[in-house]
């Protein structure tokens, strides 16, 4: 038994098509590290090349957003559920076209 | 060619275009609800969402994690999957921008509709490569069915 990490649908192909994984961890950072150690292909989708959590990757511990707790150092206990939830962003990158409006 | 195929009901194509026209010159956005099969995936319903980028809605869109969770819940209730997202490019081509690529997730289908001077033009769909380096085009096939949302 450890913490249960819920893997979002778009990343399940990189995690053996599993919906979740049990990871032994004391913090969110340890849980994510354990998850990417188990499924290496997940790493580039969760972390930047500098090793920081991507800005559109959101992490919840038992439905609490870790940004309002201790971020990646948020402690977790056996039986906790960590959810990785996408946020979606994009758009036309052409800034000049709309300047002055 | 990637070989990806996305079936979309004719009325859903029109609904995406109408959403883009409605929010012009701002970007619209919404969720694609449907099924994912081995050979193709099909959009059966849409969930129009508010563009949360109040600071730059003409050339950016954002769907918050709360909205993503709402879209996932809606899909579960309708016994379908959340298979992707749509958004508009006002006065710009229906091609993914570098900003789109940097923020994209794999697996999802990303429909882009170009709205030129308030009128709908091209509609395309894309999927991010596994290595995040580029997109594969996904052919859109217009079909005649849809799920009521």
């Amino acid at each position: 038994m450890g913490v249960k990490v819920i893997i979002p649908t778009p990343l399940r192909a990189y995690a053996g098509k599993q919906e979740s994984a049990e990871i032994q961890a004391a913090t969110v950072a340890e849980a994510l590290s354990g998850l990417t150690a188990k499924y290496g292909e997940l790493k580039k989708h969760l972390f930047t090349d500098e090793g920081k959590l991507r800005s559109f990757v959101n992490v919840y511990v038992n439905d609490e957003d870790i940004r309002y707790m201790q971020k990646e150092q948020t402690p977790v206990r056996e039986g906790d559920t960590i959810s990785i939830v996408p946020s979606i962003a994009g758009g036309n990158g052409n800034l000049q076209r709309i300047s002055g409006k | 060619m990637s070989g990806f195929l996305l079936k979309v009901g004719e009325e859903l194509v029109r609904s995406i275009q109408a959403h883009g026209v409605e929010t012009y010159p701002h970007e619209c956005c919404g969720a694609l609800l449907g099924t994912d099969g081995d050979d193709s995936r099909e959009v059966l319903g849409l969930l129009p969402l508010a563009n949360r980028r109040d600071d730059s809605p003409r050339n950016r869109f954002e769907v918050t994690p709360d909205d993503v969770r709402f879209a996932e819940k809606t899909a579960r209730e309708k016994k379908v999957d959340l298979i992707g997202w749509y958004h508009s490019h006002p006065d710009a081509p229906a091609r993914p921008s570098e900003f789109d690529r940097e923020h994209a997730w794999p697996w999802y289908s990303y429909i882009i509709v170009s709205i030129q001077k308030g009128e709908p033009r091209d509609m395309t769909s894309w999927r991010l490569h596994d290595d995040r380096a580029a997109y594969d085009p996904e052919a859109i096939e217009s079909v005649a069915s849809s799920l009521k949302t």
Side-chain angles (χ1 to χ4, degrees), chain B residues 76-96:
Chain B
R76 279 197 302 274
E77 288 171 355
K78 294 181 180 299
K79 301 189 186 318
V80 292
D81 295 317
L82 172 59
I83 57 172
W85 306 91
Y86 71 86
H87 71 282
S88 62
H89 279 182
D91 296 323
R95 288 197 304 271

Side-chain angles (χ1 to χ4, degrees), chain B residues 51-67:
Chain B
N51 181 355
R52 303 295 187 185
R53 277 299 295 267
D54 294 336
D55 60 323
S56 189
R58 287 170 183 257
N59 69 332
R60 294 283 185 265
F61 81 95
E62 182 173 343
V63 178
T64 63
D66 282 347
D67 286 340

Side-chain angles (χ1 to χ4, degrees), chain A residues 52-65:
Chain A
K52 291 188 174 178
L53 204 59
R54 290 186 180 275
S55 60
F56 48 90
V57 175
N58 307 278
V59 181
Y60 294 74
V61 175
N62 302 330
D63 275 349
E64 287 285 332
D65 190 333

